[in-house]
Amino acid sequence: MNFREFSPTQPVILGFDPGRDKCGLAVMGLDRQLYYHEVVLAKEAIAAIETLRQKFPISLMVMGDQTTAKQWRQKLYQELIEPLSIILVDERYTTLEARDRYWQMFPPKGLTKLLPQGLRQPPRPIDDIVAILLIERYLNRLTESTLKKF
């Protein structure tokens, strides 16, 4: 688990990359400060979300809209102790973006540095980084719609 110091005065967004076997989770403030990210087993995702809701003032969940989204949305509504607003975000190409972001967050060391970035494979699942990207896409959408009003 990757936690950062947290100021509970600001609501945060929970990013959720749903999957059959594993899920990505991320918690980010409206100021784009990243507080938490982790990959969990799908069977542990609900419990992990409940734990995060106890630690952070989560205002809503942003979830990828692809493969398992419909089933996960139903499962979340049925199993979460308190309902949580869920916003679906287009998750096309997030896996490719997440691979690039992984190397920005965790620069390669040793011989891996010598490989072109397109050939590098992250040494762990990157579903949590996809969850970060989903929050950023949502916040970008909010920013763009606000700017259009002016």
Side-chain angles (χ1 to χ4, degrees), residues 15-66:
F16 183 56
D17 178 34
R20 286 186 180 85
D21 303 318
K22 58 190 176 354
C23 300
L25 296 169
V27 176
M28 184 182 286
L30 298 175
D31 60 356
R32 296 176 188 253
Q33 174 73 45
L34 180 63
Y35 295 107
Y36 169 89
H37 60 99
E38 183 180 27
V39 177
V40 298
L41 294 173
K43 63 183 179 188
E44 297 168 3
I46 300 283
I49 291 168
E50 293 292 6
T51 300
L52 289 172
R53 290 179 82 182
Q54 291 169 11
K55 289 181 170 46
F56 300 103
I58 294 170
S59 57
L60 64 99
M61 176 188 287
V62 174
M63 183 170 78
D65 65 354
Q66 297 294 307

Side-chain angles (χ1 to χ4, degrees), residues 12-114:
V12 296
I13 298 170
L14 173 65
F16 183 56
D17 178 34
R20 286 186 180 85
D21 303 318
K22 58 190 176 354
C23 300
L25 296 169
V27 176
M28 184 182 286
L30 298 175
D31 60 356
R32 296 176 188 253
Q33 174 73 45
L34 180 63
Y35 295 107
Y36 169 89
H37 60 99
E38 183 180 27
V39 177
V40 298
L41 294 173
K43 63 183 179 188
E44 297 168 3
I46 300 283
I49 291 168
E50 293 292 6
T51 300
L52 289 172
R53 290 179 82 182
Q54 291 169 11
K55 289 181 170 46
F56 300 103
I58 294 170
S59 57
L60 64 99
M61 176 188 287
V62 174
M63 183 170 78
D65 65 354
Q66 297 294 307
T67 323
T68 60
K70 200 178 233 180
Q71 298 93 323
W72 268 106
R73 191 175 195 174
Q74 190 173 359
K75 183 178 174 81
L76 290 164
Y77 281 132
Q78 289 170 349
E79 295 184 28
L80 287 176
I81 294 167
E82 287 180 42
L84 186 60
S85 295
I86 299 172
I87 295 173
L88 295 179
V89 175
D90 181 4
E91 70 172 297
R92 283 177 293 180
Y93 311 113
T94 50
T95 303
L96 289 173
E97 280 181 52
R99 194 167 61 184
D100 290 342
R101 178 69 63 89
Y102 175 87
W103 294 116
Q104 289 171 7
M105 293 171 71
F106 307 101
K109 293 176 175 61
L111 292 176
T112 310
K113 260 199 291 201
L114 301 175

